């Protein structure tokens, strides 16, 4: 009885076309799923994505110059900074007018601190001038009066910095983060002596690799033992691995200080056993050695746990089979067992490496000056020098470096080869 | 029903607990023996007389300037009274982060009626600064580690002499004091130190001098650290505040001596953060008035060897509260200790601190 037309337009019981009904059912399903993850999505956006976006913005934001010295910024546009001559009287007049307002609002010191990041000495210049500004006479030329207040106002470099940092968006922080600076001729590298950030990035990478490798060397046998021992013994061993893991980071770091210092437990023991004499006590803390030892200890569980969970899944019958076919212990391990544990190594290594690259408390406490990471510099700029722009730029570079390494890692090892269990 | 009653009762209790009378004040200081002396001399007696006030201590004074700047940026001031060095007080005042105070109105007059501003006199270095003590940064050394047949160190310059006095050193992780000593011990005359530091060559010269001991130096940031390092025997010699060394030597009886020569003389006092709400400001003003009166400042010297900043307190300084020893010979101002005193130019530091901090931290990181 049914014609082809009615067959095409299949409907549900209440007369809706079947296709539309299916679509709306699917949409409902999706919406319900979205509702379920909505709290998490909201949480992640608010606490993770938003701060990162804010950080990216802060690393280029530079409104303070034009906000504090609006007239000077306009007057400076006329000035050609490549002539090597200081600007004319109108600029000094504008500067005077701006500074009178700024000193009243006490914003000139903040501007001085900001520009001091670019050229050391400007902070004191603004502070000094701020104290003199009320005594300036409106009838005599301001250029002379400013130079009398501080001869730096007669130097071209100061005006060049002011002009270069007039725009509200600046590449200055990123240039600083890679040891370069902005000059009238464009960006160029700083003097050899003033370069520190690339060096610190390099040191951070190097130390993180050393820490990852030593975690692997120490962690692999333990994980192997954990996976192959009978459950009762391995549980006990597991507690020994987890106990330090549950202990506060600060407690463990301080414990290393007690152990490693020159009058510490280890040195005392070595002197007592006559391995070293009292004058030749080893220096193991407040340097790179301290950082490597303490961080290896702290990050070791992050290597052992993924390794263990992967090794647990490797059936012992493979090794037995290899042996029954004539392989000796080493060949059976190297050709049969080890390849199967590689995903665990991959997971552990990447976990330890990424954690250590961003570490800062432990290096701060035991690293002295030679064992600190780039993150210690970021922390310094956030909490002490308050150069948040530079901290944001350094943080962004660190983020990019981690992402790049992740891509390289994916190309070489393959991210699907990483297994956490 | 029962639960609801409980919640209601709880809320009611919470409200009565935080009634208009009780107030929490956050005081920021330097921790350790110094903060304990302030607690003993000022806030404990004050809280006994005013049970409605609770004082909460924070040990963030070493980074007070940075934290106040950050709080200002965030628009949320959580501190009520901050103990800072004179140079930092000037800086904070310039930046509008510290409140300008009328000293005669806020502070108590001396018992004989002298006004506060006359009694404190030169110690009031800034409109925002409420002076409290004079102190020195000096050097402590391990008496048991002085090499045989060598005179114990007496001067700040001995810290640069690795041949005569081998061993680790500890210095403050900031330019203030270190730069002056470096130049002074490199042969720059006392009067020229600050004018030399204003030039690039002068700064380079100071760093070159510090370079000679950089590898042997542990840099401290909390003022309790160098004292701990001395007690542990980790260092031979280190810079520390004289009151901390006093506690280490006299109270804890450690084998430590002091090198007073070229002690770095400085002032310390309170600032009130700008922008406090009315009720907290009123409460804090009352506390400051109490804590800086003649008797209270003299009391502090019972617990630590820092000199009171007001003239009328000086005659009242007597003996240590528990040890019973005479405090005067341990003060930085005692003639035996003050033969060579380097008076810290806090006004200069207020101007140049940002510049030199940046260079110093970069130098450290290299």
């Amino acid at each position: 009885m049914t014609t082809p037309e009615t067959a095409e337009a299949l409907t549900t019981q209440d007369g809706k076309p079947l296709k539309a009904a299916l679509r709306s059912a699917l949409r409902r399903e999706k919406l319900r799923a979205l509702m379920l993850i909505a709290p998490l999505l909201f949480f992640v956006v608010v606490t993770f994505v938003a701060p990162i976006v804010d950080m990216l913005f802060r690393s280029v934001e530079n409104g303070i110059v034009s906000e504090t010295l609006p007239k000077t910024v306009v007057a400076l546009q006329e000035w050609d900074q490549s002539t090597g001559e200081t600007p004319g009287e109108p600029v000094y007049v504008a500067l005077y007018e701006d500074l009178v307002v700024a000193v009243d609002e006490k914003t000139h010191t903040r501007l001085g601190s900001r520009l001091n990041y670019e050229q050391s000495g400007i902070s004191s210049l603004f502070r000094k001038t701020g104290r003199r500004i009320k005594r300036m006479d409106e009838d005599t030329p301001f250029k002379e009066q400013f130079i009398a207040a501080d001869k730096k106002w007669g130097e071209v470099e100061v005006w060049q910095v002011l002009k270069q940092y007039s725009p509200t968006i600046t590449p200055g922080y990123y240039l600083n983060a890679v040891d370069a600076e902005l000059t009238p001729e464009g960006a160029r590298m700083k003097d050899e002596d003033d370069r520190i950030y690339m060096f610190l990035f390099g040191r951070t990478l190097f130390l993180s690799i050393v820490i990852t490798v030593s975690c692997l060397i120490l962690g692999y046998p333990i994980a192997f033992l954990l996976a192959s021992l009978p459950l009762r013994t391995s549980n006990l061993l597991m507690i020994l691995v987890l106990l330090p893991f549950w202990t506060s980071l600060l407690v463990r770091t301080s414990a290393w200080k007690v152990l490693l210092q020159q009058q510490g437990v280890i040195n005392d023991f070595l002197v007592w056993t006559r391995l070293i004499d009292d004058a030749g006590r080893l220096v193991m803390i407040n340097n790179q050695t301290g950082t490597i030892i303490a961080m290896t200890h702290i990050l070791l569980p992050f290597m052992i746990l993924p390794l263990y969970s992967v090794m647990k899944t490797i059936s012992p019958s493979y090794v037995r089979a290899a042996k029954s076919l004539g392989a000796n212990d080493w060949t059976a391990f190297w050709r049969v067992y080890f390849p199967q544990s590689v995903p665990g190594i991959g997971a552990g290594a990447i976990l330890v490496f990424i954690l250590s690259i961003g570490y800062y408390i432990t290096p701060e406490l035991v690293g002295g000056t030679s064992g600190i990471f780039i993150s210690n510099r970021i922390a310094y700029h956030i909490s002490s020098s308050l150069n948040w722009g530079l901290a944001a730029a350094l943080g962004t570079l660190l983020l990019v470096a981690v992402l790049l390494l992740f891509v390289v890692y994916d190309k070489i090892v393959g991210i699907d080869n990483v297994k956490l269990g | 029903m029962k639960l609801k009653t409980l919640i209601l009762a709880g809320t009611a209790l919470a409200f009565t607990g935080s009634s208009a009378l009780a107030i929490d004040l956050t005081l920021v200081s330097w921790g350790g023996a110094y903060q304990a002396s302030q607690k003993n001399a000022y806030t404990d007696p004050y809280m006994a007389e005013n049970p409605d006030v609770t004082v909460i201590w924070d040990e963030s004074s070493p980074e007070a300037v940075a934290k106040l700047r950050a709080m200002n940026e965030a628009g949320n001031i959580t501190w009520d009274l901050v103990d800072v060095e004179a140079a930092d007080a000037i800086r904070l005042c310039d930046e509008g982060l510290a409140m300008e105070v009328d000293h005669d109105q806020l502070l108590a007059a001396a018992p004989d009626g002298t006004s506060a501003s006359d009694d404190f006199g030169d110690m009031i270095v800034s409109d925002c600064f409420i002076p409290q003590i004079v102190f020195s940064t000096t050097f402590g050394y391990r008496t048991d580690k002085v090499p045989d047949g060598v005179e114990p160190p007496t001067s700040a310059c001995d810290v640069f002499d690795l041949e005569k006095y081998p061993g680790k050193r500890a210095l403050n992780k900031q330019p203030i004091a270190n730069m002056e000593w470096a130049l002074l011990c490199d042969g720059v005359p006392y009067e020229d130190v600050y004018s030399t530091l204003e030039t690039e060559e002068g700064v380079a010269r100071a760093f070159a001098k510090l370079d000679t001991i950089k590898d042997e130096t542990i840099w401290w940031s909390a003022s309790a650290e160098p004292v701990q390092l001395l007690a542990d025997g980790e260092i031979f010699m280190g810079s520390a505040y004289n009151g901390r060394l006093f506690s280490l030597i006299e109270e804890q009886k450690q084998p430590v001596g002091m090198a007073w020569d070229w002690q770095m003389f400085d002032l310390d006092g309170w600032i009130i953060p700008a922008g406090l709400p009315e009720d907290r400001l009123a409460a804090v003003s009352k506390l400051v008035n109490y804590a800086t009166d003649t008797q209270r400042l003299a009391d502090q010297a019972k617990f630590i060897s820092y000199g009171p900043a007001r003239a009328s307190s000086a005659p009242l300084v007597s003996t240590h509260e528990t040890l019973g020893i005479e405090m005067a010979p341990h003060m930085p101002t005692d003639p035996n200790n003050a033969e060579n005193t380097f008076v810290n130019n806090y006004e200069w530091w207020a101007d140049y601190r940002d510049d030199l901090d940046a260079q110093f931290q970069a130098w450290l990181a290299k």
Side-chain angles (χ1 to χ4, degrees), chain B residues 74-96:
Chain B
N76 183 19
I77 312 277
T78 56
W79 291 349
D80 298 300
L81 193 59
V82 189
D83 188 296
V84 290
E85 289 171 13
D88 285 345
I90 300 176
R91 277 208 291 173
L92 290 167
C93 212
D94 282 350
E95 292 172 27

Side-chain angles (χ1 to χ4, degrees), chain A residues 69-202:
Chain A
L69 305 175
K71 291 177 185 161
T72 316
V73 166
V74 175
L76 266 178
Q77 281 172 354
E78 307 283 311
W79 176 59
D80 181 9
Q81 54 174 330
S82 56
T83 55
E85 274 172 40
T86 49
E89 179 67 14
V91 174
Y92 285 91
V93 174
L95 180 67
Y96 171 76
E97 286 167 1
D98 284 336
L99 272 182
V100 167
V101 179
V103 169
D104 212 37
E105 288 169 1
K106 297 189 166 171
T107 48
H108 66 297
T109 50
R110 221 164 290 169
L111 176 65
S113 307
R114 162 69 189 96
L115 291 175
N116 199 61
Y117 303 147
E118 311 306 337
Q119 190 176 332
S120 182
I122 295 194
S123 173
S124 53
L125 175 65
F126 271 91
R127 277 172 194 276
K128 266 200 210 164
T129 316
R131 262 183 231 134
R132 289 285 288 269
I133 205 84
K134 288 207 177 97
R135 280 185 274 136
M136 283 193 185
D137 177 15
E138 306 222 350
D139 297 327
T140 28
F142 282 111
K143 187 165 181 171
E144 287 167 23
Q145 293 191 67
F146 270 105
I147 295 174
D150 194 315
K151 58 181 189 308
K152 281 202 190 113
W153 287 118
E155 289 170 12
V156 190
E157 288 82 13
V158 170
W159 288 104
Q160 284 173 339
V161 169
L162 258 178
K163 181 159 178 149
Q164 277 150 19
Y165 290 92
S166 298
T168 46
I169 297 288
T170 176
Y173 292 121
Y174 279 100
L175 289 175
N176 254 327
V178 295
D179 293 328
E181 62 191 345
L182 210 56
T183 63
E185 295 85 44
R188 70 175 162 92
M189 292 305 281
K190 282 188 186 167
D191 296 336
E192 202 76 54
D193 286 349
D194 297 336
R195 296 182 195 171
I196 49 174
Y197 296 114
M198 290 325 271
F199 167 71
L200 277 178
F201 270 115

